[in-house]
Amino acid sequence: MERKTPLYDRHEAAGGKIVPFAGWLLPVQYTGIIAEHMAVRTACGLFDVSHMGELELNGSDSLANINRLLTNDFSGMYVGQARYSPMCYESGGVVDDLIVYKLSDTRYFIVVNAANKDKDRDWIMAHLYGDCVLTDRSDEFAQIALQGPKAEEILRRISDDIPAKYYSAVPEGKAAGKACLISRTGYTGEDGFELYCAAEDAADLWDALLEAGRADGLIPCGLGARDTLRLEAAMPLYGHELSDSINPYEANLGMFVKPEKPDFIGKAALEKARPVTRRRVGLEVTGRGIAREGCPVYDGDRQVGLVTSGTHCPYLGKAVALALVEVSCAEVGKQVILDIRGKRVEAKVIPLPFYKRSQKKD
Amino acid sequence: MNIPAELRYSRTHEWVKMEDGVAVIGLTDHAQSQLGDLVFVNLPAVGDEVFAEEAMGDVESVKAVSDINSPVGGVVSAVNEELEDSPQLINEKPYEAWLVKVENPTGVEELLTAQEYETLIAAEQE
């Protein structure tokens, strides 16, 4: 039985096409995936991401626990700073990828994928030690993402608490009179914010944001555009680019693994995992077709990998894919063949990310 | 939902217009609205034989691939090349953006009337 977020009624009223996702009922689109995708790239889009999980760690050993559970190094953060990290099994495979916010020296706020929330909570609980308590606060929070070049301008109309730096937050901010953690993060490749508010304040905050951004072209956007945007920006999605059988090095996330840390779960396995034999690349489909998840990748007649995510990207106007391939086929420029439903279609390895906001076309 | 009275329909949401013994085939307004933004179309070639109620190609939206079934049997006599570069025409003008034309079509009598198609869609919504 799927659950509704606090914004369900808003989605229905706005004509959202509701679908089940990770145990929740959410809109896959309102006006259309392409229109919503382009709105985020050119103006601004509003997303209900309340399905994400929020876990909190409290206690003097919180930092020690986080550094043991996660591959990145979380020491030296200022209050309000955020860092991204994979969380690994002893094998080096990934439990989930997540973002940690420092709220104080003894309080850390962790945001996890909706589909993995229970698994992550159980995993963390099983490994906690010392003076540290985990609280699952997912049901207390709603989360709204405001993403696009106009995001800051729009947010300023209802809030003075604008985090200045990417990957930083104002933990006790206010927007439209509602208390919220306002974070300068996102999953679209654009400038933007993620606002964490009390579930009961979500509808009012959603309305206030839509009203504040209406004249700038702010529209609500669904899961469909969320996926095309993150794929265009080459951002990984757990279960596709990362999984229990794909380690962070294979996923090109080595910069979030700190082997110089004294110890963390998966450290020994990850040390032995390098050099990797396969890794994530970006592909552009040069022939006719759209490559999708699961599509085999060939070098001549030999299969060398698989597509992990792929679609037609609205802003770029072409079919691109993320794939996991043997390192011999991972150099930019390498021509490969994709098997798209029985047809051999040409593709080539191109640099990532596919889209970068500093290089916008006019 | 737009369901022109003069056309005939298949159970899988294709429309058929008879023009001098040739069946002109497209996707209905209901179909394009269910599929979402179309970004790619795979059509048969002129000269290919098609069979009633069997797949003859597919359309791709951002999210998924869906078969196009031929509503009739026969041989493809024309393919709408405009759709190769502009598949979104199917979303914009579903009854103008024809996909293929089939000559000497069979199975036309089995097609649904506009009324019957409307009933079909209503039943599917439940």
Side-chain angles (χ1 to χ4, degrees):
Chain A
M1 185 63 217
E2 276 89 17
R3 301 177 57 183
K4 296 179 177 175
T5 71
L7 293 166
Y8 182 84
D9 292 342
R10 291 294 187 276
H11 303 319
E12 268 211 321
K17 206 156 158 193
I18 306 289
V19 296
F21 182 80
W24 295 83
L25 292 169
L26 284 162
V28 65
Q29 65 174 60
Y30 299 83
T31 43
I33 294 178
I34 293 181
E36 292 162 30
H37 181 113
M38 294 308 291
V40 171
R41 291 272 178 257
T42 59
C44 208
L46 197 65
F47 298 81
D48 176 9
V49 278
S50 304
H51 56 309
M52 306 281 281
E54 291 89 6
L55 306 172
E56 199 172 290
L57 287 183
N58 268 286
S60 57
D61 289 322
S62 294
L63 176 57
N65 273 282
I66 285 174
N67 265 340
R68 191 162 170 274
L69 287 161
L70 306 175
T71 60
N72 204 352
D73 188 353
F74 290 85
S75 39
M77 288 169 83
Y78 55 82
V79 168
Q81 190 178 0
R83 276 191 189 149
Y84 167 86
S85 182
M87 178 160 70
C88 287
Y89 292 106
E90 293 290 0
S91 64
V94 180
V95 182
D96 199 7
D97 62 336
L98 45 85
I99 294 181
V100 178
Y101 294 84
K102 178 174 175 172
L103 300 184
S104 81
D105 286 342
T106 57
R107 233 174 118 218
Y108 289 82
F109 185 69
I110 307 172
V111 183
V112 300
N113 280 306
N116 295 328
K117 197 261 291 184
D118 290 345
K119 176 180 74 164
D120 292 352
R121 184 200 56 215
D122 294 345
W123 174 262
I124 294 173
M125 288 281 245
H127 291 88
L128 280 186
Y129 69 92
D131 175 30
C132 185
V133 172
L134 171 75
T135 315
D136 182 350
R137 303 192 63 193
S138 306
D139 290 346
E140 292 172 46
F141 285 99
Q143 194 200 145
I144 298 173
L146 179 72
Q147 302 279 311
K150 297 245 161 83
E152 181 174 343
E153 202 178 313
I154 293 169
L155 186 56
R156 277 198 186 284
R157 294 183 189 131
I158 61 164
S159 176
D160 292 324
D161 299 317
I162 315 290
K165 283 177 57 172
Y166 188 52
Y167 268 74
S168 75
V170 176
E172 278 155 32
K174 249 194 159 70
K178 308 294 182 194
C180 40
L181 183 152
I182 302 177
S183 167
R184 198 155 198 151
T185 43
Y187 197 47
T188 59
E190 294 302 326
D191 187 22
F193 303 88
E194 293 175 315
L195 293 90
Y196 296 80
C197 66
E200 55 273 18
D201 289 338
D204 287 344
L205 182 54
W206 178 267
D207 291 343
L209 283 162
L210 274 181
E211 194 44 54
R214 188 179 310 280
D216 287 290
L218 174 65
I219 57 171
C221 302
L223 295 171
R226 184 166 163 83
D227 192 45
T228 51
L229 286 160
R230 71 97 191 163
L231 184 43
E232 219 173 50
M235 299 173 87
L237 174 61
Y238 186 83
H240 295 244
E241 288 70 49
L242 288 172
S243 75
D244 57 10
S245 58
I246 303 175
N247 70 56
Y249 291 126
E250 293 172 317
N252 257 23
L253 297 175
M255 70 184 112
F256 302 105
V257 180
K258 306 294 182 194
E260 55 289 3
K261 278 201 302 185
D263 193 26
F264 59 85
I265 301 176
K267 177 173 170 163
L270 287 173
E271 259 159 19
K272 297 203 205 83
R274 285 201 289 184
V276 292
T277 53
R278 55 181 195 167
R279 65 177 185 80
R280 168 163 68 120
V281 297
L283 297 176
E284 176 183 334
V285 182
T286 47
R288 272 206 93 224
I290 298 177
R292 302 200 187 249
E293 181 193 354
C295 184
V297 181
Y298 289 87
D299 182 15
D301 286 317
R302 202 169 61 85
Q303 184 172 354
V304 293
L306 267 189
V307 169
T308 53
S309 300
T311 190
H312 171 93
C313 276
Y315 184 82
L316 299 171
K318 56 188 181 181
V320 295
L322 294 171
L324 188 61
V325 300
E326 287 176 16
V327 291
S328 62
C329 296
E331 337 89 66
V332 168
K334 173 79 185 163
Q335 310 266 28
V336 294
I337 303 284
L338 303 174
D339 178 339
I340 299 180
R341 302 193 304 284
K343 265 202 330 215
R344 287 172 67 86
V345 180
E346 283 165 5
K348 68 177 184 204
V349 178
I350 61 172
L352 290 174
F354 305 113
Y355 166 85
K356 223 179 153 92
R357 76 174 124 118
S358 55
Q359 291 159 14
K360 257 185 157 62
K361 33 183 221 204
D362 281 312
Chain B
M1 191 55 58
N2 189 8
I3 307 176
E6 71 278 10
L7 302 178
R8 305 299 289 270
Y9 298 86
S10 73
R11 295 186 174 283
T12 48
H13 310 290
E14 290 86 17
W15 57 259
V16 178
K17 179 161 85 171
M18 291 306 299
E19 257 177 14
D20 303 319
V22 171
V24 182
I25 299 165
L27 294 180
T28 66
D29 190 26
H30 175 81
Q32 71 77 21
S33 110
Q34 292 287 305
L35 291 166
D37 294 324
L38 293 175
V39 294
F40 203 76
V41 184
N42 269 315
L43 296 173
V46 171
D48 282 353
E49 194 180 357
V50 295
F51 304 91
E53 294 175 31
E54 283 185 24
M56 65 169 174
D58 52 52
V59 283
E60 297 202 49
S61 68
V62 176
K63 291 236 53 95
V65 186
S66 302
D67 280 339
I68 307 166
N69 294 315
S70 179
V72 298
V75 174
V76 177
S77 60
V79 169
N80 189 346
E81 318 237 310
E82 245 193 324
L83 298 181
E84 189 161 327
D85 289 325
S86 306
Q88 75 280 3
L89 290 173
I90 299 174
N91 295 113
E92 290 162 14
K93 299 175 190 192
Y95 298 106
E96 280 176 44
W98 59 275
L99 302 174
V100 299
K101 297 186 184 182
V102 174
E103 60 192 7
N104 304 316
T106 57
V108 182
E109 321 70 54
E110 273 84 45
L111 296 174
L112 305 175
T113 61
Q115 188 102 342
E116 287 164 343
Y117 182 59
E118 194 171 351
T119 310
L120 178 91
I121 302 180
E124 274 184 12
Q125 314 275 46
E126 275 143 40

